[in-house]
Amino acid sequence: MLGALAVLLIALLSSSRSYYLAGLVPLFPTFALIAHAIVGSERGPAELRATALFGLGALLPYAAYLLAVYALSTRLTLAATLAAASLAWAAAAAALLLFWQRVMLAG
């Protein structure tokens, strides 16, 4: 239900004078709320804190995606821009996972 509402809101905002607000809607923490509720109730405060910290790190792949879209949108087609940005997200996410497993979980 929330997903459908988000899609409708994005569509409405995209065609409005405030089209840029369509970029804010996907950042509402719907899935983070669900994940934090589950981790917090099944694991405990320490694991919830670790999940929140990892979530902060997860902003880096999203930033890589947005920077790629920004940099490539005037040079490539829309499809190529989004594909390259998705690859940038995947590479940054892989780097985050490697860092987390080797540094954060090791120590």
Side-chain angles (χ1 to χ4, degrees):
M1 181 73 94
L2 286 175
L5 180 62
V7 170
L8 287 174
L9 191 54
I10 290 168
L12 286 171
L13 288 170
S14 294
S15 60
S16 76
R17 290 179 60 196
S18 301
Y19 60 88
Y20 48 87
L21 291 175
L24 182 61
V25 174
L27 298 179
F28 182 79
T30 304
F31 295 111
L33 287 167
I34 294 166
H36 295 154
I38 292 170
V39 170
S41 65
E42 292 184 4
R43 302 294 297 227
E47 289 83 359
L48 179 58
R49 285 176 50 117
T51 302
L53 184 60
F54 185 81
L56 283 171
L59 293 173
L60 296 173
Y62 188 64
Y65 170 84
L66 292 177
L67 286 170
V69 168
Y70 183 81
L72 300 173
S73 62
T74 57
R75 299 178 187 153
L76 302 175
T77 65
L78 176 61
T81 296
L82 297 179
S86 296
L87 288 174
W89 180 92
L96 172 64
L97 288 173
L98 283 172
F99 171 80
W100 190 265
Q101 291 171 348
R102 292 189 179 168
V103 175
M104 300 302 288
L105 294 179

